[in-house]
């Protein structure tokens, strides 16, 4: 069993923190979580800092590293974090991650002798500005959502929704890391070539079918050398942690451009991630068996192991919420569009994604991001995209205020949320992944002759 799955004292549901807000029943960030993020105090131009979310606060690790009382190798592990370099810490590997988690847990518990020294290192999340949590080198988006793939396939191929390779190979494509933004960053409606079925020629115009995709993003901690694949039994040790990911999609641009090489401008204009990386250790109490539906082929041997079958999946609830501009103006809260569970939505596990990505010798690097693909449940109201929820736009959704939506309109705010809870464990969450749609920018005129 991977050490990332082992439970220890940091998972004890009875643990309480001297940071009072971390003890609230429904906080995403109790002491059992301790995710990492990059922040600075709002309204300042100070350098970005690395912190740990604890309740409604952030423990500034630059200040914390200067405080006394850290045991053993903690000072070594804190050094890159104090310097603002989360990637350098991620590259230290799982032993450093687990060791610092234990040290932080003990320092933040009720009765900790470090409380007085660390109290001054807290910064309120509400008064902080967040950034993408680490340097992202490469970004690969997979297609693990079996129900999403089936529903979307049925829209275009009613008699053959899943292509023959789907049960055998984790499908993915290489995305663009430069356009990944942090939660709260507005997203401008993209432009691209559009061509309807009856149009004689395509036109350049803003997308009319802007969509969200409810995904998880997995960050690589320590990578592998080129030409040296990562085996399924070692794959989890290379994963640092998870964020929420909204892979915004221009469906009409996608329909015209995706053949024969797949997604391009329909996807690379923006992807939004939540600001806190929840480590694999924090998710250890919420693992679930990996099971294929009856009659489906089992994975090839290189994608199979006893540990992956026993606990490769995640028991994690994921949701999408929508607040329109009119709802915001009238003081109405967001409405939930969908809720699903990763356990029944994902056809492949994270370990299988890492292993398959490297089986040809591809070298993953620290900070690389792997997207899960849209996570939809089997029921219609569990769909992780508007493309599914509106059946390709043919069945618009009616919102509580009477508005309808087939796809996102300007001013809409789309928010993703996720959490895990289980008897005998403390509930933890991933925070929020939100973005508001801005109108398309003006088309640039052609150059003068």
């Amino acid at each position: 069993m991977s050490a990332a799955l082992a439970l220890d004292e940091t998972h004890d549901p009875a643990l309480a923190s001297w940071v009072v807000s971390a003890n609230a029943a429904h906080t995403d960030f109790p002491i059992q979580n301790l995710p990492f993020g990059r922040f600075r105090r709002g309204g300042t131009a100070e350098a970005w800092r690395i912190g740990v979310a604890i309740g409604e606060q952030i423990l500034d690790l630059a200040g914390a590293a200067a405080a006394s009382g850290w045991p053993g190798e903690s000072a070594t592990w804190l050094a890159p974090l104090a310097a603002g370099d989360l990637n350098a810490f991620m590259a230290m590997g799982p032993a450093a991650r687990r060791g610092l988690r234990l040290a932080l847990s003990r320092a933040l518990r009720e009765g900790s002798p470090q409380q007085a020294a660390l109290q001054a290192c807290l910064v309120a999340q509400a008064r902080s500005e967040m950034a993408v949590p680490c340097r992202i080198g490469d970004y690969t988006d997979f297609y693990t959502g079996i129900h999403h793939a089936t529903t979307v396939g049925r829209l275009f191929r009613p008699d053959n929704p899943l292509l023959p390779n789907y049960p055998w190979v984790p499908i993915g494509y290489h995305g663009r890391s430069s356009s990944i933004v942090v939660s709260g960053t507005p997203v401008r409606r993209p432009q691209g070539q559009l061509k309807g079925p009856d149009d004689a020629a395509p036109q350049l115009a803003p997308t009319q079918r802007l969509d969200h995709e409810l995904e998880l993003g997995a960050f690589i901690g320590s990578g592998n050398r080129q030409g040296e694949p990562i085996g399924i039994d070692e794959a989890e040790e290379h994963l640092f942690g998870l964020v929420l990911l909204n892979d915004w999609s221009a469906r009409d641009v996608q329909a015209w451009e995706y053949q024969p090489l797949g997604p391009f401008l329909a996807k690379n204009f923006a992807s939004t991630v939540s600001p806190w990386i929840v480590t694999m250790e924090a998710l250890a109490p919420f693992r679930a068996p990996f099971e294929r539906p009856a009659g489906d082929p089992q994975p090839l041997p290189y994608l199979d192991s006893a540990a992956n079958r026993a606990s490769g999946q995640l028991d994690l609830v994921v949701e999408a919420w929508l607040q329109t501009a009119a709802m915001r103006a009238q003081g109405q809260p967001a409405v939930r569009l969908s809720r699903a569970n990763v356990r029944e939505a994902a056809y492949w596990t994270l370990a299988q994604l890492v292993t398959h990505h490297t089986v040809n010798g591809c070298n993953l690097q620290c900070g690389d991001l792997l997207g899960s693909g849209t996570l939809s449940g089997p029921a219609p109201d569990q769909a992780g995209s508007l493309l599914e929820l509106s059946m390709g736009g043919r069945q618009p959704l009616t919102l509580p205020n009477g508005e309808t939506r087939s796809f996102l309109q300007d001013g809409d705010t789309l928010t993703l949320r996720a959490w895990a809870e289980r008897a005998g464990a403390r509930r933890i969450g991933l925070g929020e992944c939100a973005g508001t749609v801005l109108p398309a920018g003006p088309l640039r005129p052609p150059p003068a002759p």
Side-chain angles (χ1 to χ4, degrees):
M1 181 178 69
S2 167
L5 302 179
L7 300 185
D8 58 28
E9 65 182 79
T10 66
H11 300 98
D12 184 352
L15 287 182
S17 174
W18 52 263
V19 181
V20 177
S21 59
N23 302 324
H26 293 288
T27 179
D28 277 354
F29 308 121
I31 194 170
Q32 292 81 359
N33 193 342
L34 303 178
F36 294 88
R38 194 155 57 115
F39 79 101
R40 65 185 176 194
R41 292 164 179 81
T44 73
E46 68 181 7
W48 293 104
R49 297 165 174 260
I50 305 301
V52 164
I54 178 75
E56 297 173 357
Q57 304 290 320
I58 302 171
L59 180 66
D60 178 1
L61 295 181
S68 61
W70 294 105
E73 295 182 76
S74 299
T76 301
W77 299 328
L78 283 167
L81 299 169
D85 191 347
L86 181 54
N87 289 72
F89 173 71
M90 294 164 66
M92 286 182 170
R97 187 172 69 241
R98 287 190 280 272
L100 186 59
R101 173 179 168 84
L102 178 59
L104 288 169
S105 174
R106 290 174 174 174
L108 291 166
R109 292 178 199 175
E110 284 183 340
S112 167
Q114 294 177 261
Q115 175 177 348
L118 297 181
Q119 190 87 48
C121 303
L122 294 180
V123 180
Q125 290 190 39
R127 295 197 294 272
S128 299
E129 178 184 354
M130 304 302 298
V132 173
C134 67
R135 296 188 306 279
I136 303 174
D138 282 309
Y139 164 45
T140 300
D141 198 24
F142 283 91
Y143 199 44
T144 71
I146 178 67
H147 303 293
H148 171 75
T150 302
T151 301
V152 172
R154 191 172 288 122
L155 289 173
F156 300 102
R157 300 180 302 276
D159 298 326
N160 186 30
L162 282 183
L163 295 176
N165 63 350
Y166 192 89
W168 295 101
V169 57
I171 304 298
Y173 71 94
H174 292 291
R176 186 165 184 84
S177 61
S178 64
S179 53
I180 296 175
V181 297
V182 74
S183 177
T185 305
V187 172
R188 188 167 296 281
R189 181 177 296 274
Q191 301 169 115
Q193 285 196 23
L194 314 179
K195 185 182 183 299
D198 300 323
D199 295 339
Q203 62 171 323
L204 178 65
T207 177
Q208 299 302 302
R209 294 164 71 90
L210 182 62
D211 201 0
H212 72 281
E213 290 192 340
L214 171 51
E215 304 192 24
L216 291 177
F219 278 104
I220 297 297
S222 52
N224 60 301
R225 293 181 179 179
Q226 190 171 8
E228 298 182 5
I230 298 172
I232 188 71
D233 286 323
E234 294 78 42
E236 291 238 2
E237 294 294 276
H238 292 265
L239 288 168
F240 184 81
L242 303 185
V243 292
L244 280 163
L245 170 66
N246 183 355
D247 187 29
W248 305 88
S249 300
R251 300 299 187 186
D252 41 8
V253 177
Q254 184 177 359
W256 171 239
E257 74 174 9
Y258 85 102
Q259 297 208 40
L261 293 181
F264 184 32
L265 299 186
K267 297 279 191 176
N268 69 3
F269 60 95
S271 298
T272 303
V273 295
S274 52
W276 297 104
I277 305 179
V278 175
T279 64
M280 301 307 296
E281 284 73 26
L283 294 165
F286 310 104
R287 304 306 293 260
F290 167 72
E291 299 172 328
R292 279 284 171 86
D296 281 19
Q298 293 303 307
L300 293 179
Y302 79 99
L303 293 172
D304 185 34
S305 74
N308 191 66
R309 290 193 299 272
S311 53
Q313 269 297 11
L314 289 166
D315 188 2
L316 185 67
V317 175
V318 289
E319 295 183 333
W321 293 73
L322 175 67
Q323 185 185 49
T324 69
M327 293 165 65
R328 196 158 49 248
Q330 296 164 12
Q332 298 174 345
V335 60
R336 190 176 67 204
L337 295 178
S338 66
R339 174 188 285 181
N341 193 299
V342 176
R343 180 176 184 173
E344 60 183 2
Y347 197 73
W348 300 95
T349 69
L350 295 175
Q352 289 170 323
L353 301 187
V354 171
T355 294
H356 182 68
H357 203 310
T358 65
V359 72
N360 66 343
C362 174
N363 51 322
L364 293 176
Q365 299 178 353
C366 177
D368 283 356
L369 178 64
L370 309 182
S372 65
T374 307
L375 296 168
S376 302
D381 63 350
Q382 295 178 317
S385 70
L386 281 166
L387 179 66
E388 301 161 83
L389 290 167
S390 71
M391 294 304 294
R394 296 194 293 268
Q395 299 176 13
L397 282 70
T398 300
L399 304 178
N401 67 348
E403 290 184 275
T404 60
R405 286 292 185 277
S406 295
F407 295 95
L408 296 170
Q409 297 186 12
D410 294 348
D412 286 352
T413 298
L414 198 289
T415 302
L416 308 181
R417 298 172 183 154
W419 75 92
E421 56 185 341
R422 180 178 284 182
R426 182 69 192 275
R427 176 196 185 276
I428 69 169
L430 271 65
E432 291 191 346
C433 177
T436 299
V437 179
L438 299 181
L443 289 171
R444 293 186 180 274

